[in-house]
Amino acid sequence: MKDVQSGPAEVAMPIDRVGVKNLRLPVLVRSRDNKGEVQHTVASVDLSVDLPARFKGTHMSRFIEALRAWSEELDYSSFKRLLEDVRLRLQAERAHLIFRFPYFLQRLAPETGTPALMDYQCTLLGELESGKLTFELGVDVPVMTVCPCSLAICNGGAHSQRAIVRIRTRSTGMVWIEDLIAIAEQAGSSPVYALLKREDERRVTEDAFAKPAFVEDVVRSAADELRRLEQVSWFRVEVESQESIHNHSAYAIIELDKNV
């Protein structure tokens, strides 16, 4: 049959990325704390390649075929193999891949120890070109913050809110999702929990008010911990405070490339 995609383009212009988005795929993610165990979750997947100016289009079905042929744990090595397969199937110079998925951890309430699952949104992003893989791991972590200014000017009260700590890292060695979550949670005034009894609510409130933090404090604390991780070569931390008494959010960002 005629291969229309491989024919000449009406406008001879290269395309940076062309592919498919929002594919749903069951995946396995290795756990740090339960040695040898994997977590079953579902990812939203984007796949793309570059397209030279001489081709009219790419072969979309080959992206699906590559995913169908791939059934491994989601880690650095398997990610690279999938990207290489996509690049070869599509006869491209560069291949791009994004996995977005929820990762679940059982967290214990701070006073009663009541267990409940917390979900954290994770992202794996990769680009393969000339055999070199750029691999990026990210996680979004909710925390609680208490405003230091409000606490200083009020008699026993202060406004508090939920903030989101968004961490993105590139690394030369293994980085666990759990480690990034821990870094984000320690940076805030307090972690947040899925289930709290009254004793736990009191403990969370007291702990948070004992550690007030501006959005600037949170982003600096998280960045300082990421800077200490030897295997992390680049990171970006964004903290967005969903203000409770303002009709806007406050945010701060720190990005650091250790190779520069």
Side-chain angles (χ1 to χ4, degrees), residues 15-18 46-51 75-87 92-99 123-137 169-171:
I15 298 176
D16 296 324
R17 296 190 185 188
V18 57
D46 299 349
L47 287 162
S48 62
V49 294
D50 66 303
L51 187 69
D75 58 22
Y76 182 94
S77 298
S78 67
F79 202 72
K80 185 176 182 180
R81 283 191 291 271
L82 177 55
L83 276 166
E84 182 62 29
D85 187 29
V86 170
R87 192 189 67 81
E93 293 295 324
R94 298 186 303 276
H96 313 270
L97 178 58
I98 303 176
F99 276 74
T123 303
L124 282 179
L125 182 150
E127 178 177 326
L128 185 67
E129 181 177 8
S130 302
K132 181 182 178 181
L133 173 62
T134 300
F135 180 83
E136 187 174 309
L137 170 64
T169 63
R170 297 173 192 158
S171 61

Side-chain angles (χ1 to χ4, degrees), residues 76-240:
Y76 182 94
S77 298
S78 67
F79 202 72
K80 185 176 182 180
R81 283 191 291 271
L82 177 55
L83 276 166
E84 182 62 29
D85 187 29
V86 170
R87 192 189 67 81
L88 291 174
R89 286 176 187 266
L90 277 299
Q91 302 176 26
E93 293 295 324
R94 298 186 303 276
H96 313 270
L97 178 58
I98 303 176
F99 276 74
R100 300 180 184 90
F101 58 92
Y103 186 73
F104 294 86
L105 290 178
Q106 180 168 271
R107 312 311 300 267
L108 303 179
E111 194 67 34
T112 64
T114 306
L117 286 176
M118 280 283 295
D119 65 290
Y120 302 89
Q121 292 301 310
C122 299
T123 303
L124 282 179
L125 182 150
E127 178 177 326
L128 185 67
E129 181 177 8
S130 302
K132 181 182 178 181
L133 173 62
T134 300
F135 180 83
E136 187 174 309
L137 170 64
V139 61
D140 296 353
V141 182
V143 299
M144 176 185 175
T145 59
V146 173
C147 176
C149 179
S150 179
L151 186 62
I153 63 177
C154 297
N155 293 323
H159 74 82
S160 60
Q161 53 275 316
R162 184 183 301 178
I164 305 297
V165 183
R166 300 184 179 96
I167 296 177
R168 303 292 181 266
T169 63
R170 297 173 192 158
S171 61
T172 56
M174 185 65 180
V175 175
W176 293 99
I177 294 172
E178 290 90 340
D179 292 337
L180 300 184
I181 292 171
I183 287 172
E185 289 185 335
Q186 66 80 31
S189 297
S190 170
V192 299
Y193 299 85
L195 176 60
L196 295 171
K197 308 300 286 185
R198 280 175 295 179
E199 302 94 323
D200 301 308
E201 289 190 11
R202 180 178 62 188
R203 171 74 177 276
V204 168
T205 303
E206 291 174 347
D207 287 351
F209 272 68
K211 189 187 175 185
F214 289 126
V215 67
E216 298 93 332
D217 297 317
V218 179
V219 77
R220 285 172 172 151
S221 177
D224 187 47
E225 290 298 318
L226 288 166
R227 183 172 55 180
R228 299 172 190 272
L229 290 181
E230 294 182 0
Q231 65 271 37
V232 172
S233 58
W234 170 92
F235 66 80
R236 183 181 190 273
V237 185
E238 177 182 354
V239 181
E240 180 181 352

Side-chain angles (χ1 to χ4, degrees), residues 25-28 66-74 78 81-82:
L25 183 74
V27 294
L28 304 176
L67 274 182
R68 186 184 62 185
W70 181 84
S71 58
E72 304 181 57
E73 290 181 17
L74 190 53
S78 67
R81 283 191 291 271
L82 177 55

